[in-house]
Amino acid sequence: MSSQLISNTIRSSNIRRIITSVIIALIVLGVGLLNIRYIANFFAGPRDIDHSELLQIDDADKVSRNWVNVKADQAIDTGYQMVETSRTGRETVESNYLALVIDDRILLVESPSADEVTEVSGALIPISNEIRTKIVAEIEREEDLDDVFLPYMLDAGNFRMPGYIGMGIGGIILLFCAWGVFSGVMNTDPTRHPIMRRLSRFGDPTMTVSEIENELLAPRWQHDKLRITTSWLVYTVAADFSAMRLNELVWMYKQVTQRRVNGIPAGKTFTAIFCDSHGQQITVQGKNEQDVEAMLTEVHGFAPWALAGYNNDIEQAWKKNRAALIEAVAQRRAQPQQPETEA
């Protein structure tokens, strides 16, 4: 009889990967459906629209084919512009506003160009309250006009650019989702799973799994998801599994992370870090500082040769001279050790 913890974790990991990939793909497709009108216009291209149809439109949102080619009687530069000011004070003209004369009405056009052209391609969109107040109302007041502007405007910017960006990002996400589903379905061979590949550093992963699962039937110590068996330090969380040999434990310490929201301190996170002679780490987040300290004290009791507590000298040795640090700890393990209090 053996524990099925690792096998169940691998199975759970595959199922979670498939479900997550499907959910993300559905979200991407949902965003596409919400923008179905834009997508249809993107592929269909702009259509010619005559004056009579323009004059009959009262709501641009109800026009399905809203990417149109407009031919006006006259084009007039209103003199209004949208100007972006950088932090250094530099001003950049983002848009120019033109007035296209359509019979006895005026169609406001937002264009990157100030050229007074009578043939313009763009998307029919509602006029925002800001533009209606700052441009339309001002022009009507200055020119003594009354209700001559059509109740919508023409955005003559690059219609397809947002589509190229959106489809590029969406396509990449969908490819990752497809790979997630494929790998989750095809990962029926547990030896190919990332968990098994990590365990291969100990030798034959199948034999390693058998050894760990047999020892997990009677753990020597357990703290929530962290367990110590005869030979192993094991941590399981959600659909992941980590393990290191107890006799290869080199260093353990408490990590304190200050969380901030908009630069304002918003509490701390306390984590126990365990490092082995392969350079791998197991990271266990505690409920509070006392929880992490108790966890480290207990584990150190089972591995008294390991360095306990954080200091800059150990960190530098771990980063720059790890082999010497591991050798020093191996020599400590070869000698009888008394558990030390965490620094």
Side-chain angles (χ1 to χ4, degrees):
M1 180 179 178
S2 66
S3 166
Q4 295 296 311
L5 177 63
I6 300 177
S7 302
N8 292 338
T9 302
I10 291 174
R11 189 179 303 109
S12 176
S13 173
N14 288 334
I15 293 173
R16 175 171 291 202
R17 177 180 298 181
I18 293 171
I19 292 175
T20 301
S21 298
V22 170
I23 290 174
I24 293 175
L26 289 175
I27 291 173
V28 172
L29 294 175
V31 171
L33 288 175
L34 290 174
N35 293 276
I36 190 65
R37 182 179 72 156
Y38 172 82
I39 294 173
N41 279 273
F42 179 95
F43 288 105
R47 66 182 178 93
D48 295 334
I49 187 170
D50 57 32
H51 288 196
S52 61
E53 184 177 354
L54 285 171
L55 296 176
Q56 291 175 4
I57 296 172
D58 56 8
D59 186 353
D61 283 335
K62 295 181 180 179
V63 181
S64 58
R65 291 287 306 280
N66 69 321
W67 189 14
V68 298
N69 297 317
V70 177
K71 187 174 183 180
D73 300 321
Q74 184 181 359
I76 304 170
D77 184 0
T78 66
Y80 286 88
Q81 296 176 321
M82 179 182 292
V83 179
E84 182 75 21
T85 304
S86 67
R87 293 181 179 179
T88 60
R90 181 180 178 181
E91 294 185 345
T92 303
V93 177
E94 298 288 333
S95 302
N96 299 275
Y97 291 90
L98 308 175
L100 295 185
V101 178
I102 308 294
D103 293 348
D104 59 348
R105 304 295 296 276
I106 294 176
L107 174 62
L108 185 67
V109 179
E110 182 178 277
S111 172
S113 171
D115 296 340
E116 298 179 6
V117 294
T118 57
E119 296 185 15
V120 184
S121 175
L124 298 176
I125 61 173
I127 299 177
S128 68
N129 290 332
E130 182 181 14
I131 292 178
R132 187 180 302 279
T133 302
K134 294 183 177 181
I135 298 179
V136 174
E138 285 297 313
I139 293 176
E140 289 182 335
R141 182 183 62 80
E142 292 172 359
E143 302 297 330
D144 194 23
L145 302 173
D146 184 25
D147 197 29
V148 296
F149 280 89
L150 291 168
Y152 54 87
M153 61 184 291
L154 187 74
D155 181 358
N158 191 326
F159 185 88
R160 281 197 168 110
M161 183 56 68
Y164 288 132
I165 296 173
M167 285 189 289
I169 295 174
I172 292 172
I173 294 175
L174 288 176
L175 283 176
F176 275 107
C177 291
W179 171 250
V181 172
F182 176 79
S183 60
V185 171
M186 299 303 294
N187 243 346
T188 53
D189 180 3
T191 61
R192 300 174 58 187
H193 194 276
I195 290 176
M196 297 295 281
R197 288 200 294 268
R198 290 201 301 269
L199 293 176
S200 66
R201 71 182 188 271
F202 303 114
D204 184 345
T206 303
M207 295 182 63
T208 300
V209 167
S210 178
E211 178 184 342
I212 294 175
E213 290 189 335
N214 282 326
E215 291 191 10
L216 281 171
L217 291 172
R220 299 167 65 190
W221 173 83
Q222 180 171 351
H223 181 91
D224 196 14
K225 300 296 184 180
L226 184 67
R227 310 175 197 188
I228 290 179
T229 69
T230 303
S231 310
W232 297 90
L233 177 67
V234 177
Y235 182 57
T236 56
V237 56
D240 200 8
F241 177 92
S242 300
M244 58 178 58
R245 289 191 185 278
L246 202 57
N247 62 5
E248 293 178 342
L249 191 56
V250 174
W251 181 30
M252 64 187 79
Y253 62 94
K254 174 181 65 182
Q255 183 181 72
V256 182
T257 304
Q258 175 69 67
R259 301 193 308 273
R260 294 180 181 275
V261 177
N262 297 325
I264 301 174
K268 296 180 180 179
T269 299
F270 300 94
T271 307
I273 309 291
F274 302 93
C275 308
D276 71 2
S277 58
H278 296 274
Q280 300 299 308
Q281 293 185 346
I282 290 179
T283 302
V284 184
Q285 183 171 322
K287 299 175 183 177
N288 49 49
E289 186 171 13
Q290 292 73 25
D291 185 48
V292 169
E293 289 177 347
M295 194 187 312
L296 290 168
T297 299
E298 290 290 340
V299 174
H300 196 224
F302 289 96
W305 60 83
L307 300 174
Y310 174 87
N311 66 57
N312 190 61
D313 291 338
I314 298 178
E315 182 183 28
Q316 292 304 311
W318 178 257
K319 290 180 177 179
K320 299 180 179 180
N321 197 10
R322 186 174 301 172
L325 181 66
I326 292 172
E327 177 61 27
V329 172
Q331 292 178 9
R332 285 165 55 92
R333 188 177 70 248
Q335 301 173 0
Q337 294 287 325
Q338 295 296 323
E340 300 175 0
T341 302
E342 183 185 355

